[in-house]
Amino acid sequence: MSGIKENITTLKKEIPANVKLVAVSKTRSVGDIMEAYNAGQRCFGENRVQEILNKKDLLPSDIEWHLIGHLQTNKVKAVVPFISVIQSVDTYKLLKVIDSESQKVNRVVDCLLQIHIAAEETKFGFSVKEVTEVLESEEFKILKNVRICGLMGMATFTDNPVQVNKEFNYLVSTFKSLKLKIFKDDPFFKEISMGMSGDYKIAINSGSTIVRIGSLIFGERIKSEH
Ligand SMILES: *Cc1c(COP(=O)(O)O)cnc(C)c1O
């Protein structure tokens, strides 16, 4: 008994119906993903392109795949034909490549802009200043095959709930100010993806609309793998 089904059932009770659950399946087997699928889960998040490509053809085609990890521009072409959401857009250059590759396959791809909210240096993402500059630029306005649906952020990996709460509130206030300044009449700009296994309750209380949860569903990951 792996308990994946039970874990999903328990989580679903704790997550409000208007918050989307992305089951983070990086490093997990196709069998584990299938177990979550059979428990009703349809949306999965992966952080490596090659790993999604390896798994997706072995799994049902109605799975909605979210890319949540850093994406290199040379791998964009491989994901745009099928990806539901690219949550980890962290440069204008990447956005531009997603746009041109999406155009080639006649798609408009949903994207979230990743904002750097953690104290740690290593996490990817735009600063608020950078993202504002990009969104206000003419170079951004000409992109037609990307749809900016909101923001994504990762809080500092810490036990201190005060700090995590502060970082999530910063993401929410950034979202609100961009909504007013740039996306006022855009119904698609509505998502705030924040909250993982350790901090999803804080995230939901702060106004998260998407939580990305791995370990609480599938069990602890081996530390050396991502
Ligand atoms: C791994 C990962 C998660 C899920 O982490 P858990 O702690 O296992 O829930 C969420 N978001 C991103 C971007 C990740 O890389």
Side-chain angles (χ1 to χ4, degrees):
M1 272 297 300
S2 72
I4 291 172
K5 184 171 195 276
E6 291 75 7
N7 293 344
I8 287 182
T9 308
T10 308
L11 263 175
K12 284 264 167 75
K13 281 187 199 137
E14 282 172 26
I15 298 173
N18 57 340
V19 174
K20 187 179 183 91
L21 170 62
V22 176
V24 177
S25 52
K26 62 188 183 195
T27 79
R28 314 298 178 169
S29 69
V30 163
D32 280 358
I33 297 172
M34 216 39 230
E35 217 171 306
Y37 181 92
N38 287 333
Q41 183 65 27
R42 290 294 178 273
C43 180
F44 293 86
E46 291 275 347
N47 64 347
R48 291 187 180 178
V49 170
Q50 194 54 51
E51 200 174 328
I52 312 188
L53 296 176
N54 292 346
K55 290 172 178 173
K56 83 170 182 65
D57 291 339
L58 304 171
L59 286 158
S61 59
D62 63 341
I63 286 181
E64 198 182 296
W65 292 102
H66 287 222
L67 189 69
I68 60 170
H70 180 64
L71 175 59
Q72 289 170 291
T73 51
N74 62 353
K75 301 216 171 126
V76 170
K77 189 186 170 74
V79 292
V80 292
F82 69 89
I83 204 81
S84 281
V85 185
I86 300 175
Q87 293 206 10
S88 43
V89 176
D90 55 5
T91 60
Y92 172 73
K93 185 179 160 213
L94 176 59
L95 198 59
K96 201 175 147 165
V97 175
I98 297 170
D99 183 75
S100 65
E101 291 299 335
S102 302
Q103 194 173 1
K104 288 181 196 163
V105 294
N106 237 317
R107 287 196 68 199
V108 175
V109 169
D110 287 350
C111 294
L112 302 182
L113 301 173
Q114 185 174 354
I115 308 294
H116 186 283
I117 59 170
E120 294 141 350
E121 288 281 333
T122 53
K123 305 240 162 102
F124 293 101
F126 288 101
S127 69
V128 172
K129 183 168 178 279
E130 286 165 349
V131 84
T132 309
E133 277 170 15
V134 166
L135 294 172
E136 285 176 338
S137 70
E138 290 307 315
E139 287 81 6
F140 169 70
K141 288 172 192 151
I142 59 173
L143 305 181
K144 295 283 178 276
N145 292 70
V146 285
R147 183 186 286 137
I148 308 300
C149 298
L151 305 179
M152 185 270 255
M154 278 170 95
T156 304
F157 189 70
T158 170
D159 289 336
N160 179 357
V162 176
Q163 178 167 5
V164 171
N165 193 46
K166 198 177 95 190
E167 292 170 0
F168 286 154
N169 286 338
Y170 181 66
L171 189 62
V172 171
S173 70
T174 303
F175 171 87
K176 286 181 180 162
S177 94
L178 292 175
K179 180 80 196 167
L180 273 176
K181 238 197 256 185
I182 292 152
F183 296 100
K184 207 168 179 161
D185 302 312
D186 182 344
F188 294 106
F189 189 81
K190 59 182 168 55
E191 307 294 351
I192 305 176
S193 173
M194 58 185 192
M196 311 182 10
S197 293
D199 55 21
Y200 77 94
K201 287 183 182 166
I202 304 176
I204 289 170
N205 280 329
S206 302
S208 173
T209 67
I210 301 174
V211 289
R212 311 174 309 266
I213 297 182
S215 333
L216 275 184
I217 294 173
F218 297 106
E220 286 300 318
R221 273 185 308 278
I222 300 161
K223 283 278 186 288
S224 63
E225 309 177 58
H226 347 202

